[in-house]
Amino acid sequence: WMHVDKAAKTVQLDIVAAQAGASSPFDFNGYTHGEATITVPQGYAVTIHFTNHDQAQAHSLVILNQVGDYPAAFTNPQPAFPGAITTSPTSTDAGTKPGQSETLHFTVDKPGHYAMVCVMPGHAVAGMWVRFDVSAEGAVGVSTTS
């Protein structure tokens, strides 16, 4: 679900909310509570193909500066990188609805530790977030703690 083109300096990610077989509907590709870390090199263009497989509720995806300790409700979440946010990310009526997809495009220009978070009310608190690191050294890949 991660495709890297080092020559073109691009990363494509296929991210699924509420992946089939996951223990919770509050997951990205089956991972919750920061138990996965996606690492991309600084300066790369990132494309995220985000799909909501949840049958009952909307989800969202935002790359945030904040890692962990999320509020139950977000007010006007700001992405760490321009374009790293889905449409209407806190609206249960206008977010990425069951069965819908959305594509994000952004460039990771600042190295550091970030997080991929669903900012729908209560979702991040329930564990719907994973780590998203930007490497100044050019590291790339996915690692897990589970």
Side-chain angles (χ1 to χ4, degrees):
W1 50 268
M2 180 179 206
H3 311 282
V4 179
D5 184 336
K6 290 185 178 183
K9 293 190 174 185
T10 61
V11 173
Q12 290 187 35
L13 299 166
D14 296 319
I15 302 296
V16 175
Q19 181 170 304
S23 61
S24 165
F26 302 110
D27 72 274
F28 288 120
N29 290 22
Y31 298 104
T32 64
H33 295 91
E35 64 188 16
T37 302
I38 298 166
T39 303
V40 297
Q42 179 183 3
Y44 275 45
V46 177
T47 299
I48 297 178
H49 303 288
F50 176 61
T51 304
N52 182 1
H53 281 190
D54 196 316
Q55 299 299 307
Q57 57 193 329
H59 288 288
S60 63
L61 187 154
V62 183
I63 305 299
L64 294 177
N65 287 309
Q66 182 181 0
V67 179
D69 196 27
Y70 300 110
F74 286 82
T75 305
N76 193 28
Q78 295 299 308
F81 307 99
I85 188 168
T86 55
T87 305
S88 302
T90 60
S91 172
T92 57
D93 294 326
T96 307
K97 294 183 173 105
Q100 290 186 337
S101 296
E102 192 167 343
T103 300
L104 307 178
H105 302 280
F106 57 97
T107 299
V108 291
D109 57 351
K110 301 172 286 199
H113 302 292
Y114 304 93
M116 178 183 295
V117 182
C118 179
V119 295
M120 287 291 172
H123 292 200
V125 171
M128 194 166 184
W129 66 279
V130 297
R131 298 173 192 281
F132 187 92
D133 288 352
V134 177
S135 169
E137 293 79 31
V140 64
V142 177
S143 60
T144 64
T145 58
S146 62

